[in-house]
Amino acid sequence: MMEYVKLKPGYRTALNDSTLVPDSPKHMATEKFYHAVAGSRLHLQDEEYLFAPAIFSLEREPAYIYTYSYAREENWAAYTQNLTPDSYQGEDYIFDRECYFRVCVKRKDGADLKQDDFEKAPTLAAYYHEEPEYQEKPFFQKEIEKTVETVRRSGSPGMLKLCLVADTHATVNGTWADTGANIQRVSAQVGYDALIHLGDLTDGMVSKGLTEEYVNTIIGDLEKCGAPVYITPGNHDCNYFRNRDVFSQEEMRRVYRLRGEGLDYYVDMPGFSVRMIFLSSFEDKAPVRYGYAPEQLTWLRETLYRSPEGTKFLVFSHDAPLAKLDYWSFLIRNGEELLDLLEECNAKEHYQVIGFFYGHTHADYIFEECSFPVISVGCAKLEYFTDKKPQGVTVYERKAGTVSQDLWDSLLVDFDSQKLKLVRFGAGEDREASFAKKKSCYKENALQKRKGRKMKIWAHRGASGHAPENTMPAFELAWQLGADGIELDVQLTKDGVPVVIHDETVDRVSDRTGWVKDFTFEEIRELNVNKNFPAYGKVGIPTLAEVYDFVKTTDMTVNLELKNSSVFYGQLEEKVLELAEEKGIGERIIYSSFNHYSMRRIKELAPQARVAFLYSNGILDIADYAQRYGAFAVHPYMKNTEYPDMMKECREKGIRVHVWTVNEKEDMDRMSALGVDAAITNYVERG
């Protein structure tokens, strides 16, 4: 057969190797990698040009399998370094071995390539080759037989049979061809009712056109099984990563053949009283990218409660509903709200949620704290590394050229026994989970875990690692992440209003410059302080009163730092004490400052107030010092905990220790082991 080699106008890089495609306007190359076998021929159709194939062997870089690593151009073939400036020719090129290749082209006269050349690009070269038939791998034969036998043995009349595959991340010289063939061979013997892909079909890091070509291959291979194919899109499927050639929602619906008006849809399975619901779980423009939008939950509620009585629901999503089930997410946006909705539905006598399935984590896990099973499916991609995984999951060893190269499941829904049976093909073990209704306890368990923490976790300027510091979104996010308290900074405007901001100037966080003390309240309210987190849109500086109103709806402690070391704000102490009394939360506030005179002033005005001495460098006899002036606590920079007997002396004198800024998990664990009372951190989720 003949195929035109499509040259990418202006495409000048290949594996970042300047010897492959020189970075100059004199060359262009194919973006796509083509597959050749011995005897394939590359022919140049226009004598004005010269070409040279860059050859890639079938060797694989182990890093892509054994570490968290994605090949920049979705290519697992190894460049042979064959291309040199003298490689360009006009004669046909005959391949002497199986390999992958891409083609580089330049003008014969040495001139720069012009727009006319780019417009000719699709017809400059033609590739003549015989499409080789798929070669079955003998080491899969017994696994195919075992899987078919297990499905048949486990099956019963009226059982729903689904093929469940996740995270193929298909690449050049990857293993999808084997996975697709294995699914087809098992399907031919067991007869799936549907095939479901849980997302991340490819790495999503090449052009939209090439991604679509790869996706068509995967879906086409699944469709050869003769049953419906349903996709729930993953984060990589929007083509967001690295290349930013992002799919629109309309393009995603078309490319992944989604059935809904948006990215969410449902399918009723005739004869089973089952409604399968498919939810998207990634929005690249959202401040918290993983999760579910409010309009999705509205749609889901309608989809659930417009179903006929007696309907059973299978829910599929690329990502998990809770951050603790996903290494990559500090928060799943509206994930708890999603579970609440499903729990509410499952409590109805005439409905039943029989399972929530997700991929993304590249690991196996069954979460059983909900009233229905929440099940993670390992990745079909050939991958084996155990770090960067959620706590408690199972990761199976994988090795190319063995049965463990592959990984996917036959999902059997046994309505009689109310069990979900997952029959594993490849790496891993068969699993089983009951979907008989039970009491949900995930919220109670999360609450008990937070309440049982000996070292409290306080969010430094709110959840400032993920949201604009010292803003309402940061404080609200801290509460969502399970913070025991928040740390914030207060200053006064020109007209004496207590506002929450750290620096004495607005330069670092806002779109303006100037001193906080020189802005009136109305002027400072106009500032946008989203400089480091633009996805949040316009975010203003809150008043201390607004923060206190929010805090009253939670049980969080407030560590209020008075910013009066560089600028001595008159009446600052009086104003914050009056506001605490007005809002009725004085007993939940700890006042702190680097200005220890200010803390003494607080104690003079309100002897019952709790104050803490902030410091960054060593102070002699810090425990004695704190006790002498009636301090409730000391707030040292983390390094100060290394001074001999510092913690011991504070313990003996009843002085609490709240350490800043503890951002790394190892430091969290170390502070906890030392007996620190609270860790102040930008990343609550690491506590």
Side-chain angles (χ1 to χ4, degrees):
M1 61 179 290
M2 183 186 75
E3 180 180 358
Y4 286 123
V5 172
K6 296 179 180 178
L7 299 167
K8 177 84 169 179
Y11 195 83
R12 311 198 196 289
T13 69
L15 302 180
N16 298 318
D17 191 324
S18 61
T19 65
L20 181 52
V21 184
D23 187 14
S24 84
K26 296 183 183 296
H27 301 79
M28 60 182 170
T30 59
E31 178 190 26
K32 180 181 175 181
F33 292 83
Y34 294 83
H35 180 236
V37 296
S40 298
R41 180 161 57 97
L42 191 62
H43 173 71
L44 191 65
Q45 300 198 131
D46 193 318
E47 294 182 354
E48 294 181 49
Y49 301 90
L50 297 173
F51 77 95
I55 308 299
F56 293 77
S57 75
L58 304 186
E59 296 177 22
R60 294 188 179 117
E61 168 56 57
Y64 300 136
I65 302 173
Y66 299 110
T67 66
Y68 175 66
S69 181
Y70 290 103
R72 188 170 187 83
E73 295 175 304
E74 299 185 13
N75 170 40
W76 279 15
Y79 177 44
T80 64
Q81 306 290 326
N82 72 296
L83 192 62
T84 71
D86 297 327
S87 298
Y88 289 82
Q89 63 182 50
E91 303 297 323
D92 286 8
Y93 184 91
I94 310 297
F95 292 90
D96 61 0
R97 57 182 148 158
E98 183 180 5
C99 65
Y100 290 92
F101 70 94
R102 65 198 317 176
V103 184
C104 307
V105 170
K106 66 179 181 179
R107 290 187 61 87
K108 186 182 290 186
D109 60 14
D112 290 351
L113 293 162
K114 306 295 185 185
Q115 186 61 38
D116 288 347
D117 299 301
F118 293 158
E119 291 170 358
K120 288 183 180 180
T123 58
L124 288 181
Y127 171 42
Y128 296 85
H129 64 109
E130 293 296 327
E131 191 67 41
E133 291 186 8
Y134 173 76
Q135 298 297 310
E136 294 181 357
K137 307 295 192 301
F139 53 83
F140 284 130
Q141 182 57 41
K142 286 187 178 180
E143 187 73 2
I144 292 169
E145 294 171 359
K146 179 178 77 71
T147 302
V148 171
E149 173 59 27
T150 303
V151 171
R152 287 175 173 170
R153 187 176 65 250
S154 303
S156 62
M159 183 178 286
L160 178 64
K161 297 193 292 289
L162 304 172
C163 174
L164 197 58
V165 59
D167 298 275
T168 47
H169 286 277
T171 62
V172 174
N173 201 32
T175 58
W176 168 254
D178 290 334
T179 301
N182 290 332
I183 291 173
Q184 291 166 22
R185 292 186 66 192
V186 172
S187 176
Q189 299 180 69
V190 304
Y192 293 120
D193 296 295
L195 297 97
I196 294 167
H197 196 304
L198 291 174
D200 282 3
L201 280 73
T202 74
D203 291 348
M205 298 190 297
V206 293
S207 70
K208 290 192 285 190
L210 193 51
T211 292
E212 182 172 357
E213 187 173 334
Y214 292 158
V215 168
N216 285 339
T217 297
I218 296 169
I219 296 179
D221 287 343
L222 294 175
E223 287 177 337
K224 290 177 183 177
C225 296
V229 176
Y230 304 113
I231 310 293
T232 183
N235 47 312
H236 284 262
D237 293 319
C238 72
N239 231 46
Y240 170 78
F241 292 89
R242 292 191 184 171
N243 65 71
R244 299 300 191 266
D245 195 9
V246 184
F247 284 130
S248 66
Q249 279 206 12
E250 292 74 18
E251 289 170 326
M252 289 188 72
R253 284 201 298 272
R254 175 179 57 79
V255 171
Y256 297 99
R257 309 178 196 185
L258 309 182
R259 271 92 172 152
E261 293 182 2
L263 302 184
D264 308 312
Y265 64 100
Y266 70 87
V267 176
D268 291 327
M269 299 299 289
F272 293 102
S273 297
V274 169
R275 175 164 287 185
M276 301 197 302
I277 299 173
F278 300 88
L279 299 174
S280 64
S281 54
F282 182 80
E283 171 52 62
D284 65 277
K285 294 181 177 64
V288 179
R289 297 185 300 167
Y290 293 101
Y292 309 91
E295 54 268 27
Q296 283 183 276
L297 301 187
T298 300
W299 175 87
L300 178 59
R301 176 176 288 278
E302 294 173 353
T303 299
L304 292 170
Y305 291 122
R306 288 179 180 174
S307 305
E309 290 190 7
T311 298
K312 295 175 173 59
F313 301 99
L314 279 170
V315 184
F316 301 97
S317 170
H318 178 67
D319 206 354
L322 297 174
K324 70 178 182 179
L325 303 178
D326 175 12
Y327 175 87
W328 302 107
S329 300
F330 67 91
L331 176 72
I332 301 295
R333 179 168 35 93
N334 296 316
E336 287 198 11
E337 289 80 356
L338 169 65
L339 283 183
D340 288 346
L341 181 51
L342 294 175
E343 295 282 15
E344 173 192 290
C345 178
N346 204 34
K348 306 290 184 185
E349 184 178 351
H350 48 277
Y351 289 131
Q352 187 173 15
V353 177
I354 58 180
F356 185 110
F357 291 86
Y358 66 97
H360 188 62
T361 62
H362 295 202
D364 283 357
Y365 188 63
I366 299 179
F367 181 68
E368 300 194 83
E369 295 180 15
C370 294
S371 64
F372 50 86
V374 178
I375 300 175
S376 168
V377 178
C379 62
K381 172 188 177 183
L382 173 58
E383 173 189 279
Y384 178 58
F385 57 91
T386 56
D387 64 333
K388 298 180 175 59
K389 305 292 182 186
Q391 186 175 2
V393 304
T394 301
V395 181
Y396 293 99
E397 186 174 3
R398 314 285 293 276
K399 188 176 180 180
T402 71
V403 169
S404 69
Q405 172 184 300
D406 215 354
L407 188 162
W408 50 275
D409 289 300
S410 297
L411 170 60
L412 312 178
V413 184
D414 189 334
F415 301 102
D416 293 336
S417 66
Q418 293 200 78
K419 287 184 178 178
L420 299 169
K421 302 176 180 179
L422 291 110
V423 179
R424 174 58 49 84
F425 186 101
E429 300 176 352
D430 297 347
R431 297 182 289 166
E432 191 173 280
S434 170
F435 58 85
K437 294 183 180 183
K438 61 181 181 181
K439 181 183 177 183
S440 173
C441 62
Y442 84 92
K443 281 193 171 182
E444 292 177 17
N445 291 348
L447 180 61
Q448 289 305 315
K449 181 180 178 181
R450 183 169 76 87
K451 292 293 187 183
R453 285 195 294 232
K454 290 184 178 180
M455 183 180 74
K456 301 304 180 184
I457 304 298
W458 294 351
H460 183 233
R461 307 175 198 170
S464 56
H466 305 293
E469 64 178 58
N470 275 324
T471 65
M472 294 310 300
F475 299 133
E476 291 163 0
L477 183 55
W479 174 240
Q480 288 180 289
L481 291 173
D484 301 296
I486 51 175
E487 186 272 349
L488 57 146
D489 308 276
V490 63
Q491 299 185 59
L492 296 180
T493 61
K494 186 176 183 179
D495 42 357
V497 178
V499 291
V500 178
I501 182 171
H502 178 270
D503 296 3
E504 286 79 3
T505 70
V506 301
D507 304 21
R508 181 175 59 85
V509 295
S510 84
D511 50 358
R512 295 276 300 279
T513 61
W515 293 81
V516 172
K517 66 180 179 62
D518 294 334
F519 285 88
T520 65
F521 173 64
E522 291 302 323
E523 290 170 340
I524 210 163
R525 289 291 266 188
E526 294 302 312
L527 301 184
N528 183 3
V529 291
N530 75 344
K531 198 170 185 178
N532 296 318
F533 294 92
Y536 277 86
K538 189 176 189 302
V539 183
I541 295 172
T543 65
L544 185 58
E546 288 171 330
V547 177
Y548 282 174
D549 285 338
F550 166 68
V551 169
K552 287 173 66 175
T553 68
T554 75
D555 65 359
M556 290 192 296
T557 298
V558 175
N559 173 26
L560 182 65
E561 180 181 347
L562 280 64
K563 297 296 293 186
N564 51 6
S565 300
S566 298
V567 176
F568 290 170
Y569 290 103
Q571 297 293 301
L572 179 59
E573 292 84 0
E574 285 85 350
K575 285 179 179 290
V576 297
L577 288 169
E578 289 170 6
L579 187 60
E581 184 176 356
E582 176 189 328
K583 297 296 181 180
I585 61 169
E587 74 285 352
R588 290 165 60 185
I589 301 171
I590 298 169
Y591 300 93
S592 66
S593 178
F594 284 99
N595 181 346
H596 299 177
Y597 286 99
S598 176
M599 295 299 92
R600 189 163 67 179
R601 177 64 177 155
I602 289 280
K603 292 295 286 183
E604 290 171 353
L605 293 168
Q608 77 284 2
R610 297 183 295 176
V611 303
F613 292 151
L614 260 169
Y615 67 102
S616 57
N617 296 314
I619 297 179
L620 289 173
D621 301 321
I622 185 63
D624 286 338
Y625 174 65
Q627 186 181 57
R628 186 182 316 129
Y629 292 103
F632 172 73
V634 291
H635 290 189
Y637 175 57
M638 184 170 55
K639 190 72 175 173
N640 287 276
T641 60
E642 298 177 17
Y643 282 100
D645 297 328
M646 177 265 184
M647 289 295 302
K648 176 175 174 290
E649 291 169 359
C650 285
R651 282 284 161 269
E652 290 173 350
K653 291 182 167 51
I655 303 299
R656 294 174 64 86
V657 180
H658 308 143
V659 178
W660 55 279
T661 303
V662 189
N663 284 339
E664 301 304 324
K665 186 66 173 69
E666 314 85 78
D667 292 328
M668 286 276 189
D669 294 340
R670 187 163 56 86
M671 292 300 103
S672 180
L674 281 174
V676 164
D677 296 289
I680 303 171
T681 179
N682 297 345
Y683 302 98
V684 174
E685 71 278 10
R686 297 177 185 175

